[in-house]
Amino acid sequence: MPGTAARPPAPAARASRGRTALLTGAVTAVAYLALLGWDQVKTVTPDGSATGPYEAWQVVVLVLVLAGTAAVAGWHRRTWVATLTMTVVLTLCWSYDAATDPADLNDGLWPVGALLVLIGTFVGAAVVAGVAAAVARRRARGGPVLSTTPGAGS
């Protein structure tokens, strides 16, 4: 309606968003620290090149934990709160970890890695949470979540 100002969100909605931000931020930080934060040792191969410090399983488990967290938040229709919180928290954790590496392990390219973490986390969390929110909306309307019949549920 013309001339009407948007109403501020109800206190319950603000509290729910705050809880979502707190929970997704805490899960993200704890998962990072438990899976990647402790592993600081790079492996030097016989040819002198360094790999790591993370093993593939550590990154895969972190991605699965974050995807599950984004899915739950999306299911509860808190897609953007969770996406932004997870992105900021993971990027800050990773950036601090990378920027404070000893000089012999820090090649100065950590800002590039931080940008990639930021983009990857944002896109991944937004897609997972968005899909979960769409499925939740579809189920709430009583429509099929997935259909093998062409045109069904559209």
Side-chain angles (χ1 to χ4, degrees):
M1 288 186 222
T4 59
R7 289 186 301 182
R14 284 193 303 268
S16 178
R17 283 195 298 270
R19 281 190 304 272
T20 300
L22 183 64
L23 286 171
T24 57
V27 168
T28 302
V30 168
Y32 179 84
L33 293 171
L35 293 164
L36 304 184
W38 59 270
D39 196 349
Q40 303 295 318
V41 179
K42 292 192 177 191
T43 304
V44 179
T45 60
D47 68 358
S49 63
T51 63
Y54 313 127
E55 298 292 329
W57 71 267
Q58 293 170 282
V59 177
V60 168
V61 172
L62 178 64
V63 168
L64 291 174
V65 168
L66 296 180
T69 303
V72 170
W75 186 264
H76 292 284
R77 313 261 174 53
R78 295 289 180 234
T79 302
W80 294 113
V81 172
T83 297
L84 294 174
T85 302
M86 291 169 65
T87 300
V88 168
V89 170
L90 187 66
T91 303
L92 287 175
C93 286
W94 187 90
S95 296
Y96 176 80
D97 206 9
T100 57
D101 275 346
D104 60 329
L105 298 177
N106 191 341
D107 56 9
L109 292 175
W110 70 265
V112 175
L115 181 62
L116 294 173
V117 168
L118 183 132
I119 292 168
T121 306
F122 180 82
V123 170
V127 167
V128 170
V131 168
V135 170
R137 277 193 302 275
R138 190 99 185 215
R139 285 194 56 160
R141 286 194 313 246
V145 175
L146 297 174
S147 176
T148 57
T149 307
S154 20

